[in-house]
Amino acid sequence: METPNAPNPEAAAPPGTPADANRRLEALLEQISRGDEAAFAEFYELTSRRVFGMARRVLIDVELSEDTTQEVYLQVWQNAAKFNPDAGSPLAWLMTISHRRAVDKVRSSQSSTDREAKYGASSQDIDHDSVSDEVGSRLEAEAVVRCLDTLTDTQQESVRLAYYGGLTYREVAEKLNAAVPTIKSRIRDGLIRLKTCLGVS
C-alpha cells in the first residue's frame, strides 16, 4: 500500500457534532483494521490537516513534517486494530501518535548542526510565541483535547486552528475575520488556561 503524500489543505474534521465525528472515525478505524483502503483514504482526508499541523508545530520543517505525517498514517494502517475506544477518542489516539512521532523525529535529528540551523532560521518566519511552543511540544494530545473543553468558544476555535491546523496568528485572523491582536490575545489566554488545566508550570 502506498503511503499518502502531503496532506490536502482542504481536509477537515468530520462534519456534525464531536460525538458524530468520533463515531465516524471509530467506524473507519474498524474498517481499516480489516484492510479497507477506501476507509483509510477517508480517514486520511478527514484528519491529515490536523496531523500535519501537529508535526509542523513541533518540527517547523515542512519536509520533515510531511515525512512524519506519512509515518503516522503508515502506523495507523498497520495498527488500527489496536485502537481502544475506552482509552480515548480516535482523534486523541491519532494526535498522540502524531506528537510522539514528531518528538522522536526531533530527537533523532538533534545531533545534526544543519538541522538545528534550519530550525533556527525557519522559526523566525513562523508567527507564534514561546507559550504556544511550550504547549505544542510538551503536552500529550489526549490531555489537550480534554482541557480544550474548559476554554470559551472563541478561544477554543482559535487554539484549534493554531494548534491542530498549524496556522499562524495572521492566518487564523483571516479565517475568523478578526484582528490579529484579538486572535493573539485569544490564543495566548486559551493556552494559558490549557496550561493551568494540565498543571504545566
Side-chain angles (χ1 to χ4, degrees):
M1 186 203 74
E2 294 183 1
T3 55
N5 294 319
N8 176 2
E10 299 302 320
T17 67
D20 292 337
N22 282 338
R23 281 193 291 272
R24 182 60 189 150
L25 293 176
E26 284 179 10
L28 290 172
L29 283 170
E30 174 65 26
Q31 293 171 284
I32 293 167
S33 72
R34 297 194 297 267
D36 188 327
E37 293 190 16
F40 177 79
E42 183 179 347
F43 187 87
Y44 175 84
E45 284 298 314
L46 292 173
T47 59
S48 60
R49 176 78 184 262
R50 292 184 175 188
V51 171
F52 180 77
M54 168 69 81
R56 181 77 189 275
R57 179 68 61 190
V58 176
L59 295 166
I60 307 300
D61 185 280
V62 173
E63 290 183 10
L64 280 176
S65 300
E66 289 174 353
D67 289 346
T68 301
T69 299
Q70 289 190 3
E71 291 170 10
V72 167
Y73 283 97
L74 181 59
Q75 187 171 343
V76 169
W77 176 256
Q78 294 171 338
N79 297 298
K82 294 182 180 179
F83 168 69
N84 177 10
D86 295 331
S89 70
L91 190 58
W93 177 73
L94 181 64
M95 296 310 293
T96 298
I97 293 173
S98 306
H99 184 260
R100 288 177 180 163
R101 281 278 180 180
V103 169
D104 286 346
K105 187 79 73 176
V106 169
R107 287 174 181 157
S108 68
S109 303
Q110 204 69 45
S111 61
S112 169
T113 54
D114 289 342
R115 166 73 184 88
E116 290 176 359
K118 190 171 185 179
Y119 176 92
S122 299
S123 66
Q124 299 303 311
D125 299 329
I126 294 183
D127 189 12
H128 60 276
D129 63 18
S130 60
V131 176
S132 178
D133 286 345
E134 182 178 355
V135 172
S137 63
R138 292 183 59 194
L139 304 180
E140 290 292 343
E142 302 102 323
V144 172
V145 170
R146 186 173 62 250
C147 286
L148 274 171
D149 290 337
T150 68
L151 306 186
T152 67
D153 289 342
T154 55
Q155 287 173 342
Q156 188 173 138
E157 186 175 29
S158 300
V159 169
R160 283 185 186 279
L161 287 170
Y163 187 79
Y164 287 125
L167 303 184
T168 65
Y169 287 134
R170 188 169 292 103
E171 289 168 337
V172 174
E174 290 172 357
K175 192 170 185 67
L176 299 181
N177 195 28
V180 172
T182 301
I183 293 301
K184 284 187 176 184
S185 177
R186 285 181 192 172
I187 292 174
R188 182 180 296 277
D189 291 347
L191 291 175
I192 289 171
R193 289 182 68 172
L194 277 178
K195 288 177 68 180
T196 301
C197 173
L198 292 153
V200 178
S201 57

